[in-house]
Amino acid sequence: MLSTRFALAALAGVLISGTVQAADKFVPEVLTVEERIQPGPNLFVLDQSWDGSSQTVVLSQDDLSVKGNLSFGIVGQMVANSDFSRLYSLSHYAKRITYGPTESVLQEFDVSTLSLLREVVVPEKAAQVAPSNAILKISHDDRYAFIQNATPATSVTVVDLETGSVLQEVPTPGCFGVFPAADSVKFTTVCGDGRFQSFSLAADGRFGSPDSSDKIFDPDKDPVFIVGKRAGDELLFVSFFGTVYRVSDSDKAPRLISKKSFTEGTEGQWAPGGVDVVAYNEAHKVLFVTMHSEAYNGSHKNGAEEVWAVDLASAKVLGRSEVKHLVSLSVTDGEQPVLFGLDEEGVLYRYQVKADAGFALEETNTVEDVGGWAIFSIAGS
Amino acid sequence: MLSTRFALAALAGVLISGTVQAADKFVPEVLTVEERIQPGPNLFVLDQSWDGSSQTVVLSQDDLSVKGNLSFGIVGQMVANSDFSRLYSLSHYAKRITYGPTESVLQEFDVSTLSLLREVVVPEKAAQVAPSNAILKISHDDRYAFIQNATPATSVTVVDLETGSVLQEVPTPGCFGVFPAADSVKFTTVCGDGRFQSFSLAADGRFGSPDSSDKIFDPDKDPVFIVGKRAGDELLFVSFFGTVYRVSDSDKAPRLISKKSFTEGTEGQWAPGGVDVVAYNEAHKVLFVTMHSEAYNGSHKNGAEEVWAVDLASAKVLGRSEVKHLVSLSVTDGEQPVLFGLDEEGVLYRYQVKADAGFALEETNTVEDVGGWAIFSIAGS
Amino acid sequence: MPRMIDRLFNLIDKTSEQSTRKAAQSFGRRSFLAKAGTVMAGAMLAPVLPFDRSLGGAAFAGTLEDENDCSYWKHCALDGNLCSTSGGSLTSCPPGTEASKVAWVGTCRNPADDKDYLVSYNDCCGRATVPSSTFCFTSEGERPGYRMGLHNDINWCMANTNKGYHCTVSVVLGVANG
Amino acid sequence: MPRMIDRLFNLIDKTSEQSTRKAAQSFGRRSFLAKAGTVMAGAMLAPVLPFDRSLGGAAFAGTLEDENDCSYWKHCALDGNLCSTSGGSLTSCPPGTEASKVAWVGTCRNPADDKDYLVSYNDCCGRATVPSSTFCFTSEGERPGYRMGLHNDINWCMANTNKGYHCTVSVVLGVANG
């Protein structure tokens, strides 16, 4: 053993000038590995790469300090389970990263230890899309994962998280985006004809044919962003031109509750724009929307000049705050909401929402370079 | 067939407002794939990633226009064959990019078509090192590839490019860097005791025990950069403090030809610094070196303030040119040298060398963002 | 079924006049938003960003002729890196890459004749993007995935075996009759 | 043989006083130069860059106490991302990562007692770097690969199964007797 050690010392050729002395009072430091992340509510930021590891950075909601990260494959998406104790990624591993056969993988991570729990290989038709809240979802009971496919024909892969296997591929022709129901195993999707469709788990343990709504929106004249946010037993969608569509998904078939514009009558041709353009706070029943002025055909991805607070019931604008060029928002629930904004350059902003002062945003913290292309976040609890 | 098509149209839900009309004179454009890169001499720039695809960008030596790229795995290295018609990469593919079992792969590409010709899986002990000219090399006759290993014990994997298989792992304890001979199948390496060792292909088709030089340099007091450049039947190395070591590798054992300082007697504590700190032009027998002032312990990776032209025979400084923060150089052979410099921010500079005016550098072209971390280039022919 | 789809979309590649025009009505494909630095480079070039009013009408007109500029008319719905700055051209993939089997479609007005044209945006596939290539971020007539053929947030290398997104071409398929 | 090496280097992890000090004499390990933006961020923080003379003596002294600053004394030969800004600390790897089995060594002077200490720079392994983490780029006493134990251009996750470079810690092993 000793001889091996000395041989190795010679191999590595290390000749430190000076030797270690026993300093009476010196106690050598000990290398360890942290077992758990720092406590407190988490913000999850997705940094998506198309030619390398995508990752989720986990930060403190309080001060945006970094608690750690998770890394996975290219064009990654993420979603958390209902209590934010598990984070799921969907990403893609080609044999040579950007070429060769692709393996698409759902990965389950434990949030408190940032450890990989397991992997489920899913059909490689899983959509490779920019960061989105519509591609990877978990059912209300944390039992199933839903994955949007595109070949470009569309379908949804259902993964049974109890068995860790693919349950079914559900065809969803002409529709895109997955939005699970709040109290049943069901998902709703948005279709190119302006209707919504719901697919429910039937008694036979399979998802059968869809239950369809009437036409809810006009995809030509007032297309909705596929950014559906849960508000109780409703799903909220905002259109390119600033209409809030409230869609009930608590019955068998989805149904329009109301459709109201929050831009009508406003000067300056304001419109929503960006990526994850809407965040919803439950306590105040308020939407926050990334807004830009002088909208034109094709400006719907432009970053915000302002964030507007919009009342869910009335679609009245309760407040407008100037912001840097934000493209995505997430917000905490509760009476004192904290809003998180991301721009396209990897800057993350934290705002305290002044609910009693017209929902004005007070910037409290920022992180630069939170990712190379970090434009999607989830505010956990 | 037709019904399938219409079904698909419905699936994808595309409803372009407006239909295509047969415009009498309009000829639709045709999508093609370029068969070959643009002609003319190439510059190869390595953009190394540690969590995604590394790549080689191929540019025109004349105007730095991009001709295309090649992509491979993480921590990639590159080398060209003798006539620059083949480019080889060494890189690493872990199952989950940054975790899981690793496959280290030598890939051979055809330069004119930028196509992958073949792959050889090599032992995963291949060193994962910052971009370097010492890690991956090709023998003078283009028959063998040499790959530096580190576990951290060091060895060299020899790949037979005729059979496309690993020939041998040659132990090189205490030594690092591979520098093939100019006219025989042999490589020389630099050792921690200040000696150089050569390993030759023996009659039995194997690399046997090394032939060692006397002590050539002092690794404590005047360590050399592992940036060996070929100059005829010599290898050139430059030290942290500005000594040029000319080492002959044309006999069985390497041998010091001369050792001369080009910084001695210069004001300002100038020293070489960066990554690929030396480039050598054969026509003028001149070295170009990235130089910084006020050198200190640990400044040997600092970028340059000036590039110095140094005469090989006399080690006299023939010229000094101010440059931006360059860390790596490559240069063309010939009477009118063109020098290429890279900084750490992915900016590439092209300089015309004024050989008749003190080897002054005239900046002619630049490319920004030639890579995220592109600090190594090869000037082909 | 997948084979059917492949066959159909392959028609786009072959670009025979008849089939292409019809196929173009039905399908689309598109690239993605690139990484940080590049995104902003592209964003700066985008024609009428409300956040950069320094680009006046004159500047805009002046760049119309440069096909490597994101304001070039054919790029009106292109969210990706230009192949013409990646070793290819406006209508050709760089050497060593492969053309995507499927594509998305834009309708762009040519200022020269004031007509609308259908533009097929094919991705070129199988390797990483060229870092210095021009990233464009325009979305005229773009729609989310429920109008897949107009959607440009998705990797249109999806139907290829080698799916790595490399760059995007703008291929004019025909005159659109508004 | 590989198993022997593993066993030997594992001693560093266990960091029992005796074995560590001796092992530290023999081996080293180190991270790498990070990607562009980060590199420069780190470079700006490095103590005595000749290209940034704005950092006068006072400024330098003022940052000595901040262990997340690259000028902190323990980081004198650290070329990598600080684990203390990645979810770990100066001596601990972030949760979910693993410590490298091998390490490189620096000799750094502690300004508090003006003594030289041996510092083991271990990499933490198995995932991508945290983009916002502080990148340091110091190389006091650093040597090329022919002095492997002092070399910091190599990925010191080399002996781990999960080799992805994540960040680097600075663990003080003992007093060096110059």
Side-chain angles (χ1 to χ4, degrees):
Chain A
M1 281 292 279
L2 256 183
S3 65
T4 304
R5 166 182 255 156
F6 289 135
L8 282 168
L11 279 176
V14 176
L15 294 168
I16 294 169
S17 62
T19 54
V20 180
Q21 229 186 12
D24 284 344
K25 284 162 194 164
F26 180 79
V27 180
E29 294 178 340
V30 178
L31 171 60
T32 57
V33 178
E34 300 287 338
E35 283 181 17
R36 317 187 132 261
I37 62 171
Q38 295 297 310
N42 300 317
L43 179 74
F44 303 93
V45 174
L46 174 65
D47 181 27
Q48 191 185 72
S49 171
W50 285 48
D51 60 7
S53 276
S54 301
Q55 64 172 292
T56 294
V57 183
V58 183
L59 306 101
S60 161
Q61 281 188 12
D62 299 330
D63 61 4
L64 302 189
S65 59
V66 171
K67 299 183 178 189
N69 74 344
L70 298 165
S71 58
F72 30 93
I74 70 166
V75 200
Q77 304 287 349
M78 69 172 182
V79 69
N81 69 347
S82 50
D83 68 359
F84 300 94
S85 63
R86 298 278 183 275
L87 194 108
Y88 296 87
S89 67
L90 166 70
S91 63
H92 312 273
Y93 300 93
K95 191 176 182 204
R96 296 297 175 237
I97 306 180
T98 60
Y99 49 103
T102 295
E103 188 176 53
S104 298
V105 183
L106 176 71
Q107 293 178 290
E108 183 182 63
F109 300 94
D110 176 59
V111 171
S112 66
T113 58
L114 294 183
S115 55
L116 176 63
L117 298 178
R118 58 179 168 157
E119 301 186 338
V120 181
V121 175
V122 298
E124 59 141 336
K125 55 177 70 171
Q128 297 196 8
V129 187
S132 166
N133 94 327
I135 302 302
L136 171 65
K137 287 298 183 68
I138 305 291
S139 64
H140 79 107
D141 57 358
D142 293 341
R143 167 78 191 267
Y144 301 95
F146 303 113
I147 295 167
Q148 179 66 58
N149 300 319
T151 62
T154 50
S155 61
V156 170
T157 294
V158 181
V159 175
D160 184 338
L161 294 173
E162 201 163 284
T163 64
S165 59
V166 172
L167 176 74
Q168 190 182 348
E169 181 190 341
V170 183
T172 58
C175 307
F176 203 73
V178 185
F179 304 100
D183 55 7
S184 69
V185 179
K186 178 171 79 173
F187 66 87
T188 297
T189 181
V190 186
C191 305
D193 60 3
R195 299 191 297 174
F196 284 57
Q197 290 187 346
S198 292
F199 296 80
S200 300
L201 188 68
D204 64 354
R206 309 279 294 176
F207 291 82
S209 51
D211 296 296
S212 187
S213 73
D214 294 334
K215 182 168 176 173
I216 285 182
F217 71 105
D218 185 330
D220 295 313
K221 299 201 175 122
D222 195 34
V224 296
F225 290 93
I226 306 213
V227 178
K229 293 295 159 93
R230 166 67 54 195
D233 55 1
E234 301 172 16
L235 290 168
L236 308 178
F237 290 85
V238 160
S239 77
F240 286 18
F241 298 103
T243 308
V244 180
Y245 291 84
R246 298 172 59 183
V247 177
S248 165
D249 64 341
S250 57
D251 302 326
K252 221 166 158 29
R255 172 175 57 83
L256 180 66
I257 296 173
S258 73
K259 147 185 179 182
K260 287 178 183 156
S261 170
F262 60 89
T263 51
E264 224 172 62
T266 318
E267 297 264 306
Q269 282 183 266
W270 288 84
V275 177
D276 199 26
V277 296
V278 187
Y280 176 73
N281 170 267
E282 181 63 34
H284 295 282
K285 299 200 188 308
V286 164
L287 290 74
F288 297 89
V289 191
T290 51
M291 300 293 294
H292 64 282
S293 63
E294 295 173 46
Y296 55 89
N297 179 359
S299 74
H300 58 282
K301 294 186 191 172
N302 289 7
E305 293 154 80
E306 296 183 358
V307 165
W308 290 13
V310 177
D311 181 65
L312 175 62
S314 65
K316 287 240 158 62
V317 177
L318 303 175
R320 295 167 51 161
S321 301
E322 273 193 46
V323 293
K324 277 133 198 164
H325 196 251
L326 302 183
V327 294
S328 289
L329 301 175
S330 64
V331 71
T332 60
D333 278 328
E335 289 293 333
Q336 307 293 333
V338 179
L339 185 79
F340 302 96
L342 288 159
D343 70 12
E344 288 157 321
E345 283 193 301
V347 187
L348 168 65
Y349 300 89
R350 179 188 187 275
Y351 303 94
Q352 189 66 53
V353 179
K354 301 290 176 191
D356 50 0
F359 293 89
L361 304 183
E362 183 188 42
E363 186 184 313
T364 62
N365 303 74
T366 70
V367 178
E368 295 203 1
D369 199 21
V370 71
W373 195 48
I375 53 168
F376 180 69
S377 66
I378 301 172
S381 62
Chain B
M1 283 293 281
L2 256 182
S3 64
T4 303
R5 167 181 256 157
F6 289 134
L8 282 169
L11 279 176
V14 177
L15 294 167
I16 293 169
S17 63
T19 53
V20 180
Q21 227 185 14
D24 286 343
K25 284 163 195 164
F26 179 79
V27 180
E29 294 177 340
V30 178
L31 171 60
T32 57
V33 178
E34 300 287 338
E35 285 181 15
R36 320 188 131 258
I37 62 171
Q38 294 298 308
N42 299 318
L43 180 74
F44 304 93
V45 174
L46 174 66
D47 181 28
Q48 191 185 72
S49 171
W50 284 47
D51 61 6
S53 277
S54 302
Q55 63 172 291
T56 294
V57 183
V58 183
L59 306 101
S60 161
Q61 281 189 10
D62 298 331
D63 61 4
L64 302 188
S65 59
V66 171
K67 298 184 178 189
N69 75 345
L70 299 165
S71 58
F72 30 93
I74 72 167
V75 200
Q77 304 287 349
M78 68 172 182
V79 68
N81 69 348
S82 50
D83 68 359
F84 301 94
S85 63
R86 298 279 183 275
L87 194 108
Y88 295 87
S89 67
L90 167 70
S91 64
H92 311 273
Y93 300 93
K95 191 176 183 204
R96 296 299 175 236
I97 306 180
T98 60
Y99 49 103
T102 295
E103 188 175 53
S104 299
V105 185
L106 176 72
Q107 293 178 291
E108 181 183 65
F109 299 95
D110 176 60
V111 171
S112 66
T113 58
L114 294 183
S115 55
L116 176 63
L117 297 178
R118 58 177 168 159
E119 300 185 338
V120 181
V121 175
V122 298
E124 60 142 334
K125 55 177 70 172
Q128 296 196 8
V129 187
S132 166
N133 95 325
I135 302 302
L136 172 64
K137 287 299 182 66
I138 305 292
S139 65
H140 81 106
D141 56 358
D142 293 341
R143 167 78 190 266
Y144 300 95
F146 302 114
I147 295 168
Q148 178 66 57
N149 299 321
T151 62
T154 49
S155 61
V156 170
T157 295
V158 181
V159 175
D160 184 338
L161 294 172
E162 199 164 284
T163 63
S165 60
V166 172
L167 175 74
Q168 189 181 347
E169 181 191 339
V170 184
T172 58
C175 308
F176 203 73
V178 185
F179 303 100
D183 55 7
S184 68
V185 178
K186 179 171 80 175
F187 65 86
T188 296
T189 181
V190 185
C191 305
D193 59 4
R195 299 191 297 173
F196 283 57
Q197 290 187 344
S198 293
F199 295 80
S200 300
L201 187 67
D204 65 355
R206 308 279 294 176
F207 291 80
S209 51
D211 296 295
S212 186
S213 72
D214 294 333
K215 182 168 176 173
I216 286 181
F217 71 105
D218 184 330
D220 295 312
K221 300 202 174 122
D222 195 34
V224 297
F225 291 92
I226 307 214
V227 179
K229 293 295 161 93
R230 167 66 53 197
D233 54 3
E234 300 171 18
L235 290 169
L236 308 178
F237 290 85
V238 160
S239 78
F240 286 18
F241 297 102
T243 308
V244 181
Y245 291 84
R246 297 171 60 182
V247 177
S248 166
D249 66 340
S250 57
D251 301 326
K252 224 168 155 25
R255 171 175 59 83
L256 180 67
I257 296 174
S258 73
K259 149 187 178 179
K260 287 179 184 157
S261 170
F262 60 88
T263 52
E264 224 172 62
T266 317
E267 297 265 306
Q269 283 183 266
W270 287 85
V275 178
D276 200 26
V277 296
V278 187
Y280 177 73
N281 170 267
E282 181 62 36
H284 295 282
K285 302 202 186 305
V286 164
L287 288 74
F288 297 89
V289 190
T290 52
M291 300 293 293
H292 64 282
S293 63
E294 295 174 46
Y296 54 89
N297 179 357
S299 73
H300 57 283
K301 293 184 188 175
N302 288 6
E305 294 155 78
E306 297 184 359
V307 165
W308 290 12
V310 177
D311 181 64
L312 175 63
S314 65
K316 287 242 157 61
V317 177
L318 303 175
R320 295 168 51 161
S321 300
E322 271 193 45
V323 293
K324 277 135 199 162
H325 196 249
L326 301 184
V327 293
S328 289
L329 301 175
S330 63
V331 70
T332 59
D333 278 325
E335 289 293 334
Q336 308 292 333
V338 178
L339 184 79
F340 301 97
L342 288 159
D343 71 12
E344 287 157 322
E345 284 193 301
V347 186
L348 168 65
Y349 300 89
R350 178 187 187 276
Y351 303 94
Q352 188 66 52
V353 179
K354 300 292 179 190
D356 49 0
F359 293 89
L361 305 183
E362 182 188 45
E363 185 184 313
T364 61
N365 303 75
T366 70
V367 178
E368 296 203 1
D369 200 22
V370 71
W373 195 49
I375 53 167
F376 181 70
S377 67
I378 300 173
S381 60
Chain C
M1 186 71 169
R3 178 172 295 182
M4 288 295 193
I5 293 172
D6 277 3
R7 287 193 58 170
L8 179 62
F9 283 104
N10 270 321
L11 295 175
I12 296 181
D13 288 8
K14 288 170 191 154
T15 328
S16 79
E17 190 169 335
Q18 290 298 320
S19 62
T20 319
R21 289 190 188 166
K22 283 184 183 149
Q25 285 180 261
S26 318
F27 301 97
R29 102 233 112 97
R30 184 241 108 190
S31 69
F32 78 113
L33 304 164
K35 304 272 290 184
T38 325
V39 167
M40 292 321 290
M44 299 299 274
L45 293 170
V48 206
L49 270 189
F51 310 104
D52 187 359
R53 297 205 177 77
S54 62
L55 292 169
F60 180 60
T63 60
L64 281 179
E65 297 305 311
D66 181 0
E67 62 185 39
N68 290 338
D69 191 301
C70 296
S71 63
Y72 184 64
W73 73 273
K74 292 183 186 176
H75 305 324
C76 81
L78 194 163
D79 182 354
N81 298 60
L82 298 184
C83 291
S84 55
T85 60
S86 306
S89 75
L90 221 58
T91 59
S92 65
C93 290
T97 70
E98 52 188 58
S100 66
K101 293 179 175 171
V102 290
W104 84 103
V105 173
T107 304
C108 303
R109 178 149 301 188
N110 182 349
D113 61 9
D114 228 31
K115 280 185 186 162
D116 286 337
Y117 287 83
L118 284 185
V119 181
S120 170
Y121 298 107
N122 280 75
D123 290 340
C124 302
C125 309
R127 57 189 57 170
T129 57
V130 171
S132 63
S133 62
T134 300
F135 173 74
C136 295
F137 190 31
T138 57
S139 289
E140 216 174 298
E142 199 268 346
R143 290 290 181 273
Y146 51 75
R147 285 283 171 86
M148 186 58 78
L150 304 176
H151 187 41
N152 73 8
D153 277 338
I154 199 164
N155 181 3
W156 282 94
C157 296
M158 62 177 100
N160 292 51
T161 299
N162 298 314
K163 296 193 200 299
Y165 172 75
H166 184 63
C167 64
T168 303
V169 294
S170 302
V171 181
V172 179
L173 301 175
V175 182
N177 188 3
Chain D
M1 186 71 168
R3 177 171 296 179
M4 287 295 192
I5 294 173
D6 277 4
R7 286 193 60 171
L8 180 61
F9 283 104
N10 271 322
L11 295 177
I12 296 182
D13 288 8
K14 289 169 191 155
T15 327
S16 79
E17 189 170 338
Q18 290 299 319
S19 63
T20 319
R21 289 189 187 166
K22 285 188 181 144
Q25 286 180 258
S26 319
F27 301 97
R29 103 235 108 95
R30 189 236 105 195
S31 69
F32 78 114
L33 305 165
K35 305 271 290 183
T38 325
V39 167
M40 293 321 289
M44 300 299 276
L45 293 171
V48 206
L49 271 189
F51 311 104
D52 187 358
R53 298 207 177 75
S54 61
L55 290 169
F60 179 60
T63 60
L64 281 179
E65 297 306 309
D66 180 359
E67 62 185 38
N68 290 337
D69 191 301
C70 296
S71 63
Y72 184 64
W73 73 273
K74 292 183 186 176
H75 305 324
C76 81
L78 195 162
D79 182 354
N81 297 63
L82 297 184
C83 291
S84 56
T85 60
S86 306
S89 74
L90 221 58
T91 58
S92 64
C93 290
T97 69
E98 51 188 60
S100 67
K101 295 181 175 170
V102 290
W104 84 104
V105 173
T107 303
C108 302
R109 177 149 302 189
N110 184 348
D113 61 8
D114 227 32
K115 282 186 186 160
D116 286 339
Y117 288 84
L118 284 185
V119 181
S120 169
Y121 298 108
N122 280 75
D123 290 341
C124 303
C125 310
R127 57 191 55 171
T129 56
V130 171
S132 63
S133 61
T134 299
F135 173 74
C136 295
F137 189 31
T138 56
S139 290
E140 217 174 297
E142 199 266 349
R143 290 291 180 272
Y146 53 74
R147 284 281 171 87
M148 186 59 78
L150 304 176
H151 187 42
N152 73 7
D153 277 338
I154 198 164
N155 181 4
W156 283 94
C157 296
M158 62 177 103
N160 292 51
T161 300
N162 298 312
K163 297 191 200 300
Y165 171 77
H166 184 62
C167 63
T168 303
V169 294
S170 302
V171 181
V172 179
L173 300 176
V175 182
N177 188 3

